[in-house]
Amino acid sequence: MPPLVVWLALIASVTAAATWVARQYALRGNLMDQPGDRRSHHVATPRGGGIAIVLVVLVVGCYLMSRDLSGRALWIGFLPGLLIVAGIGWWDDHRPLSPWLRLVVQAVAALMLAAGAGWQSGHWLPALLAFGAAMVLVNVWNFMDGINGLATTQAGLAAVAYAGLLAGEWRWLALALLAGCLGFLPFNFPKARIFLGDVGSGALGFMLAGLVTAASIAVPPGSVPLLMLPLSIFLVDAGFTLLRRILRREPWWTPHVTHLYQIAARRLGHGPVTLAYAASSGVTLSLMLVWPRSTWGQSVSVAVTVYLVVSFVWFASRRGLRE
């Protein structure tokens, strides 16, 4: 295995080259996101650039699976699941599909990851976590991919967090995801020359679900609740916004601009909001990595406290921006 810096630089460079190719493809094929009332951008922008991250992670994952002789069950669930989540997203980028069809395909991928987790661990709890994480994170990353750099930076930071917990081939996969995000980011932040598209946002969520699952098998059971800390910023914003839309009887599955990050971006600009979310996630992931090994009850208490604080900040920020 090459040294860490070489590994990161190689994957980031390949991803950047693939993103450039994806941009040319999108421009020639007129795969463009047009501005509108339900968008946070103001100029037509190519989409589908996340295919570069997907392809790189798939290739790296196949290589790592060949080296991980004792852990192939989880790989067998993860890699095909990633392929079909990215595939339905790529199709949707070309020809918009029913959200319910996409949800069914995502459920199949989640079941594949869950089967791999159950097979690998020999227990049903990792399988349940895998299914839930895949279904939630695929859609949360799709919901939260609305301003420049936000979904990519959050995925990269979460990858750093899980790389700090994992060992062996799954650690290298987390680092590959980080490098892929770094290679894509110059095309998307601070100015967006291409968007992730559904192929990228959904796939990032599934990759993180795979890392959460692998970490849940690797860490002591008492530390499992802490795995949710690096995801808290996105889960709170997406969760409360979704709940609000459901209670208001709005079509929650359609595009909109009512997430906190979208409201803040209209007031402050994309760059400051993306950096603020990154700083907040940096705090939560650091807490996960430095918190000592503890009992299940202590970990749950820490996780609940963090989510309560993040929720308070969410409500306070939303009220402040509204005023």
Side-chain angles (χ1 to χ4, degrees):
M1 189 65 66
L4 177 58
V5 174
V6 176
W7 176 259
L8 294 174
L10 175 62
I11 294 177
S13 298
V14 172
T15 306
T19 304
W20 183 87
V21 173
R23 185 173 187 274
Q24 302 310 307
Y25 172 83
L27 290 171
R28 288 196 300 270
N30 196 33
L31 298 180
M32 307 291 287
D33 268 351
Q34 301 295 335
D37 293 339
R38 296 184 176 183
R39 305 284 183 179
S40 295
H41 60 285
H42 303 292
V43 297
T45 306
R47 64 175 178 266
I51 188 67
I53 302 175
V54 172
L55 292 176
V56 169
V57 170
L58 280 171
V59 170
V60 170
C62 289
Y63 166 69
L64 293 172
M65 181 178 69
S66 71
R67 295 170 53 91
D68 191 6
L69 300 179
S70 63
R72 285 189 176 175
L74 187 55
W75 290 106
I76 291 172
F78 170 73
L79 291 173
L82 173 58
L83 184 61
I84 66 173
V85 167
I88 197 68
W90 183 245
W91 188 359
D92 191 63
D93 284 332
H94 286 74
R95 177 185 175 185
L97 302 172
S98 162
W100 311 114
L101 173 61
R102 291 168 53 195
L103 195 65
V104 169
V105 173
Q106 292 162 7
V108 172
L111 285 171
M112 296 173 71
L113 181 63
W119 185 8
Q120 182 70 45
S121 66
H123 300 284
W124 62 270
L125 279 175
L128 183 62
L129 174 63
F131 182 82
M135 292 301 294
V136 170
L137 295 181
V138 166
N139 287 286
V140 164
W141 247 257
N142 184 269
F143 293 156
M144 299 294 288
D145 179 30
I147 65 172
N148 300 349
L150 183 64
T152 309
T153 54
Q154 290 295 307
L157 287 167
V160 170
Y162 299 127
L165 293 178
L166 291 163
E169 276 64 34
W170 280 96
R171 178 174 184 266
W172 287 106
L173 185 80
L175 293 171
L177 174 55
L178 168 63
C181 291
L182 292 175
F184 175 81
L185 200 56
F187 292 86
N188 189 244
F189 183 81
K191 179 181 179 180
R193 291 183 286 159
I194 190 168
F195 294 148
L196 283 168
D198 288 333
V199 63
S201 58
L204 286 179
F206 192 83
M207 293 175 204
L208 293 175
L211 293 176
V212 169
T213 302
S216 72
I217 297 172
V219 302
S223 299
V224 170
L226 299 177
L227 299 178
M228 297 297 104
L229 296 188
L231 309 172
S232 58
I233 309 301
F234 262 28
L235 291 178
V236 166
D237 195 352
F240 279 124
T241 303
L242 178 62
L243 178 61
R244 180 175 177 271
R245 285 174 61 80
I246 291 173
L247 293 176
R248 292 166 64 112
R249 299 183 179 180
E250 298 174 354
W252 53 267
W253 58 89
T254 59
H256 61 93
V257 288
T258 59
H259 285 286
L260 175 61
Y261 77 87
Q262 293 168 319
I263 297 170
R266 290 196 296 272
R267 181 79 63 87
L268 306 173
H270 289 211
V273 174
T274 294
L275 293 176
Y277 270 66
S280 300
S281 290
V283 173
T284 59
L285 74 87
S286 298
L287 181 60
M288 183 194 74
L289 292 176
V290 304
W291 193 262
R293 300 284 176 86
S294 55
T295 66
W296 176 273
Q298 290 170 332
S299 295
V300 169
S301 298
V302 172
V304 169
T305 300
V306 169
Y307 271 82
L308 287 175
V309 170
V310 173
S311 299
F312 173 80
V313 172
W314 186 90
F315 280 104
S317 299
R318 191 176 181 92
R319 170 177 287 186
L321 288 169
R322 187 170 61 246
E323 292 175 352

